[in-house]
Amino acid sequence: MTDLVAQLIAAQPELTPTQASTLITAQQDIAHNSRTFARLLGLAHALVLRELNALL
């Protein structure tokens, strides 16, 4: 997955690694919600929510 994150960031450098990871996990059907994503990556849920909000 790190290769996909690096490729996405190279294509869209305005994305943070967390934002790119979130987009990829959603696209790959790995995590269905922000809590699952946060748990899978060992991140605080609040951090994930902040990064998702920044994408909007």
Side-chain angles (χ1 to χ4, degrees):
M1 186 164 122
T2 29
D3 291 340
L4 293 173
V5 172
Q7 289 174 7
L8 184 56
I9 290 173
Q12 297 181 15
E14 70 278 3
L15 293 175
T16 68
T18 303
Q19 291 169 343
S21 298
T22 303
L23 292 171
I24 290 168
T25 57
Q27 181 184 30
Q28 298 288 320
D29 205 29
I30 296 170
H32 299 285
N33 58 57
S34 59
R35 286 194 189 277
T36 302
F37 174 77
R39 187 173 58 249
L40 287 173
L41 270 70
L43 298 172
H45 186 236
L47 173 63
V48 173
L49 290 176
R50 184 173 61 218
E51 292 292 318
L52 286 171
N53 198 26
L55 286 172
L56 300 176

